[in-house]
Amino acid sequence: MADNSTVTIRATFRTREAAELAVEHLVQQQGVPRPDIFIQSTTDQNTTGTQPSGGDASREEGARSDAPLAGEIEVSVDTAAGQADAVQRSLSVAGAIDVSGS
C-alpha cells in the first residue's frame, strides 16, 4: 500500500537568489506544484539573505550597502512522503545550508 501522507521539508539559504533557484528546480525538475512551496525570512525582519547576491552584488561600484541582509531565507515544501528524498536532494544541490524534514 502506498504512503499518501504529506511531509514538510524545510531548507535555509544564504541568499534570496539561491532560494528562488531552488524553487525553480523543485517546480521544473521535481514537478512540485508552486502553491506547495513557501519562501520566508528565518527572522522577523525583511531580508534578502545574509550576503549580497544577484542585482545587489553585480554592480560596478561594488555590492549595494542598503540591501536588507537581516537573516537567512527559508524554503518550505509540502510534498508526498514518497517524494521527500528527491525534494531534499534537490534543495541541497541548489545550495541549501541546512535541510530538514518532518
Side-chain angles (χ1 to χ4, degrees):
M1 186 162 143
D3 184 357
N4 292 330
S5 63
T6 300
V7 296
T8 300
I9 308 297
R10 289 182 174 77
T12 53
F13 295 85
R14 288 187 176 97
T15 66
R16 176 73 184 211
E17 179 182 37
E20 289 177 355
L21 180 62
V23 170
E24 290 307 312
H25 285 183
L26 291 171
V27 171
Q28 295 176 15
Q29 296 173 355
Q30 301 300 327
V32 177
R34 181 62 183 91
D36 292 341
I37 305 170
F38 309 91
I39 301 174
Q40 66 183 17
S41 170
T42 60
T43 69
D44 61 353
Q45 306 238 343
N46 183 26
T47 184
T48 60
T50 58
Q51 60 192 36
S53 67
D56 291 338
S58 60
R59 299 169 48 122
E60 286 183 24
E61 58 274 359
R64 289 178 55 167
S65 61
D66 63 342
L69 302 175
E72 295 165 345
I73 306 294
E74 179 186 84
V75 173
S76 60
V77 184
D78 293 336
T79 190
Q83 192 177 12
D85 288 342
V87 166
Q88 288 179 327
R89 277 191 306 277
S90 187
L91 290 165
S92 293
V93 168
I97 56 175
D98 183 43
V99 180
S100 63
S102 60

